[in-house]
Amino acid sequence: MSLLELRNLARAFGGVQAVAGVSFSLARGQLLALIGPNGAGKTTCFNLINGQLRPDSGQVFLEGAEITGLAPRAIWRKGVGRTFQITATYASMTVLENVQLVLHSGGRRLFDLHNRLSARYAEKALELLVQVGMGEQADRACGLLSYGDLKRVELAMALAHDPKLLLMDEPTAGMGPQERHELMALTARLVGERNIGVLFTEHSMDVVFTYAHRLVVMSRGQLIAQGSPGDVRDNPEVQSVYLGRGTFARAVS
């Protein structure tokens, strides 16, 4: 059984077909890259999967159970986490407190003001931070961190409710080459250790072809190719979408 399955998913905005009959699946223990030029429909797909948008037609399944059109909170509770292109942390709070806040919310105690946040979930939060290489910075304010470290904190926050599926929207945007590869190597390791699935969008082809097990390629709302990195690299339509064979070959070499 697939962890995630999209069946003929479609969504239009006015006269623009943002997603047109897209179907693909993702297994546990797999990193699947969803790539395509700007405007291809990648973020719309993400928003349809995690409930921020409702599809005009088509279905989304999580481990065989339909989640199409459920509210984002309900989908999150079923085990779908997400990170965003722009990091979403509280700058004035410590690294540890940011992760604790997610754990607090997952325990349905977000509005319980009778106990201080620092008294709850500290051990679990620190364990998650150690997993992403941020244990030694647990007591620093997020506002003092580098961008790469903020991405690691956001990853720990996404893992805090033990997701089955993690959606990562351009996880390495704004990062240098070394930071990009460190973050994706960490993600690949966690996928194996936790046996989860990761669907990620990314514009850095070196990252995509180094870490993705499979690729799905979209253009103008349609799925134009999917398969192994080698199959996608050699696909003439994909090469055309990415501005020609020579440009694409240099980007993925």
Side-chain angles (χ1 to χ4, degrees):
M1 181 186 297
S2 298
L3 173 60
L4 173 69
E5 183 181 2
L6 274 61
R7 296 182 189 172
N8 298 312
L9 211 58
R11 174 65 191 236
F13 299 97
V16 178
Q17 193 70 44
V19 174
V22 170
S23 300
F24 62 82
S25 62
L26 167 65
R28 280 185 177 269
Q30 188 175 78
L31 275 84
L32 177 62
L34 177 60
I35 66 171
N38 289 331
K42 306 183 297 296
T43 298
T44 300
C45 264
F46 267 42
N47 290 337
L48 292 170
I49 293 168
N50 85 330
Q52 289 185 291
L53 291 174
R54 287 181 175 268
D56 296 327
S57 60
Q59 297 169 292
V60 182
F61 295 87
L62 183 68
E63 290 191 320
E66 187 170 6
I67 60 171
T68 315
L70 293 181
R73 182 74 173 179
I75 293 174
W76 181 79
R77 289 202 177 277
K78 288 182 179 293
V80 180
R82 183 171 181 178
T83 67
F84 294 85
Q85 181 179 350
I86 299 174
T87 56
T89 59
Y90 291 96
S92 62
M93 297 175 67
T94 68
V95 170
L96 187 72
E97 288 169 342
N98 270 270
V99 180
Q100 282 179 281
L101 191 63
V102 180
L103 291 166
H104 207 65
S105 176
R108 301 177 185 268
R109 304 186 67 107
L110 188 59
F111 301 106
D112 177 5
L113 303 180
H114 297 292
N115 296 284
R116 294 182 60 196
L117 182 62
S118 60
R120 293 190 177 276
Y121 305 111
E123 184 177 350
K124 177 63 175 176
L126 184 59
E127 177 186 323
L128 287 164
L129 289 170
V130 169
Q131 288 183 31
V132 301
M134 289 297 293
E136 294 183 357
Q137 301 197 60
D139 294 327
R140 294 191 71 195
C142 279
L144 301 176
L145 298 181
S146 69
Y147 193 70
D149 284 343
L150 282 173
K151 288 285 191 177
R152 289 175 178 265
V153 175
E154 188 181 38
L155 179 57
M157 293 168 67
L159 295 172
H161 79 300
D162 197 23
K164 306 169 185 176
L165 170 66
L166 185 57
L167 308 175
M168 302 181 74
D169 194 355
E170 297 193 32
T172 72
M175 301 173 72
Q178 181 175 341
E179 285 183 321
R180 287 203 304 265
H181 284 277
E182 287 176 349
L183 181 68
M184 291 311 296
L186 169 63
T187 302
R189 176 173 62 79
L190 292 171
V191 165
E193 291 176 355
R194 289 171 166 259
N195 193 32
I196 63 176
V198 169
L199 175 66
F200 71 101
T201 65
E202 184 58 62
H203 284 291
S204 299
M205 291 298 101
D206 59 330
V207 167
V208 169
F209 282 87
T210 299
Y211 298 101
H213 299 128
R214 290 178 54 246
L215 279 68
V216 172
V217 188
M218 292 182 64
S219 178
R220 298 182 179 179
Q222 297 184 328
L223 191 153
I224 62 171
Q226 62 177 309
S228 69
D231 290 341
V232 170
R233 180 186 292 112
D234 296 333
N235 185 292
E237 190 171 2
V238 175
Q239 293 171 358
S240 176
V241 165
Y242 277 93
L243 305 178
R245 184 185 185 96
T247 301
F248 187 69
R250 288 193 297 273
V252 303
S253 62

